[in-house]
Amino acid sequence: MNPFSHQNPNSHKDNQSPNGLNNIHHPSESDIEDLQFNEYDPRVVKNLKNSFLSLVVIGLVLGLFIAAGVIYIMNRFDINAQPSNNSSIPPVQELL
């Protein structure tokens, strides 16, 4: 039993493709349009460059302020303080 056999043995007659590809529309050369490079207005390019640079500068300034704020909060709540010597954690030299 062949699961890939054709159900209709006469389907190859009358100049038909067995996979149905004869129904594909082939566009003529008049249907195909050539796309050409569109030059942009120099004012638009300049505006986009200025917008990009301003967004980068604003992002860097905001990142600087946020980083400074995080450091300030960590110092204020003493989150980044070094542990004292009288803590319950033994020094590294005693462990070796």
Side-chain angles (χ1 to χ4, degrees):
M1 179 174 180
N2 186 359
F4 300 110
S5 66
H6 294 288
Q7 298 297 328
N8 186 1
N10 296 329
S11 65
H12 298 292
K13 293 182 181 178
D14 298 331
N15 212 5
Q16 291 182 356
S17 171
N19 55 9
L21 291 178
N22 56 346
N23 295 330
I24 293 178
H25 170 71
H26 296 287
S28 64
E29 290 186 21
S30 63
D31 293 341
I32 300 173
E33 296 178 12
D34 289 334
L35 298 178
Q36 296 180 357
F37 178 72
N38 294 333
E39 291 193 23
Y40 296 105
D41 187 14
R43 293 176 292 177
V44 173
V45 174
K46 184 178 179 182
N47 190 11
L48 286 173
K49 285 182 182 179
N50 289 339
S51 299
F52 176 76
L53 289 176
S54 63
L55 286 173
V56 168
V57 169
I58 290 170
L60 289 173
V61 169
L62 283 176
L64 179 69
F65 280 123
I66 291 172
V70 167
I71 291 173
Y72 173 77
I73 290 172
M74 289 178 71
N75 286 333
R76 173 116 173 134
F77 293 111
D78 204 26
I79 295 174
N80 59 352
Q82 297 291 326
S84 61
N85 288 339
N86 58 4
S87 67
S88 62
I89 301 173
V92 178
Q93 291 83 13
E94 292 180 13
L95 294 176
L96 298 175

